[in-house]
Amino acid sequence: MGNSLADQLLKAKLVDEKSVKKAKKEKHTQHKQARKHKTEVVDENKLEIAKANEEKLEKDRQLNQQKQKIAEEKAVKAQIKQLIESHHIVINGSNLNDFNFKDGNAIKTLKVNELIRQQLIKGQVGIVKQGNNYSMLPYPIVEKIAQRDEDSILLLNKAKTEDIVDEDDPYADYVIPDDLIW
């Protein structure tokens, strides 16, 4: 137990006496210079290990942030999916008309009855896209979805203010009908 590493290496004949004395002398001179100049001996290996640990911690922190962001996005998508599935408006009936709306650069069509069509025009019902499917939802639900993901809202008309009429409007006498189908 009293054998130092140098003694053990000498017994195993892995090093010779000369190299052991040289290593001891170098170590002694380093300590002597450190005491003389009152500086610490800088161990380059320790610095490299500390630097590598800091880099690893930073990389792990960035990975955790990315994973957390992905998890939050999944949670938002799940919330939107649940809202759509539980509140979508189902249209039944035989007297259905086409209602056209814009999805990006494409014009899409849904079959709706007259009541739903009027609600879409007035902003009481909105159209939401989930994947390749379109759903019609009541205004409060569309607002909740808009808070989570604005891009999934395709149509949500603002409530019309028919009471406000500009007095200087030259076309005030010409009323535009709401029942135009395009």
Side-chain angles (χ1 to χ4, degrees):
M1 195 143 166
N3 291 343
S4 66
L5 178 62
D7 293 338
Q8 292 175 10
L9 291 174
L10 279 172
K11 285 182 183 178
K13 296 185 181 181
L14 295 174
V15 293
D16 58 350
E17 284 277 339
K18 192 176 186 180
S19 60
V20 170
K21 286 181 182 179
K22 184 178 178 184
K24 283 183 180 179
K25 186 176 181 181
E26 285 178 12
K27 186 176 179 183
H28 179 68
T29 55
Q30 284 180 350
H31 284 293
K32 195 172 183 182
Q33 286 179 351
R35 283 183 287 172
K36 182 179 179 182
H37 298 292
K38 295 184 181 177
T39 60
E40 290 185 28
V41 178
V42 178
D43 190 4
E44 294 177 10
N45 291 336
K46 288 182 181 178
L47 291 176
E48 289 177 15
I49 290 171
K51 184 178 177 183
N53 284 340
E54 288 178 19
E55 290 174 358
K56 184 178 184 287
L57 286 174
E58 181 63 29
K59 187 176 178 180
D60 289 345
R61 191 175 304 117
Q62 289 176 354
L63 278 172
N64 286 338
Q65 287 176 348
Q66 289 175 350
K67 286 179 183 179
Q68 184 177 5
K69 185 177 179 181
I70 290 170
E72 288 173 0
E73 289 174 0
K74 281 184 178 182
V76 167
K77 286 182 181 180
Q79 289 173 355
I80 291 172
K81 182 179 178 181
Q82 182 180 10
L83 285 170
I84 291 173
E85 288 176 355
S86 61
H87 295 95
H88 74 280
I89 298 172
V90 179
I91 299 175
N92 295 325
S94 60
N95 192 11
L96 300 178
N97 296 322
D98 289 343
F99 184 82
N100 298 319
F101 61 95
K102 187 175 178 182
D103 181 10
N105 291 332
I107 303 293
K108 300 294 181 174
T109 303
L110 285 176
K111 297 283 188 185
V112 297
N113 59 23
E114 188 61 30
L115 175 65
I116 298 295
R117 187 174 160 287
Q118 289 300 321
Q119 289 176 344
L120 282 165
I121 291 169
K122 292 178 183 176
Q124 297 170 343
V125 173
I127 298 177
V128 178
K129 181 177 183 178
Q130 182 186 24
N132 293 330
N133 299 325
Y134 303 101
S135 299
M136 291 180 287
L137 301 167
Y139 175 79
I141 306 303
V142 175
E143 283 294 313
K144 287 181 183 179
I145 292 173
Q147 291 172 355
R148 290 165 175 81
D149 183 19
E150 186 71 33
D151 296 335
S152 62
I153 309 298
L154 295 179
L155 177 73
L156 182 60
N157 291 328
K158 301 296 179 196
K160 293 186 178 182
T161 55
E162 296 177 11
D163 299 336
I164 301 173
V165 177
D166 189 9
E167 294 175 8
D168 297 332
D169 187 10
Y171 299 105
D173 295 335
Y174 303 102
V175 179
I176 299 172
D178 286 338
D179 61 348
L180 287 177
I181 300 175
W182 49 283

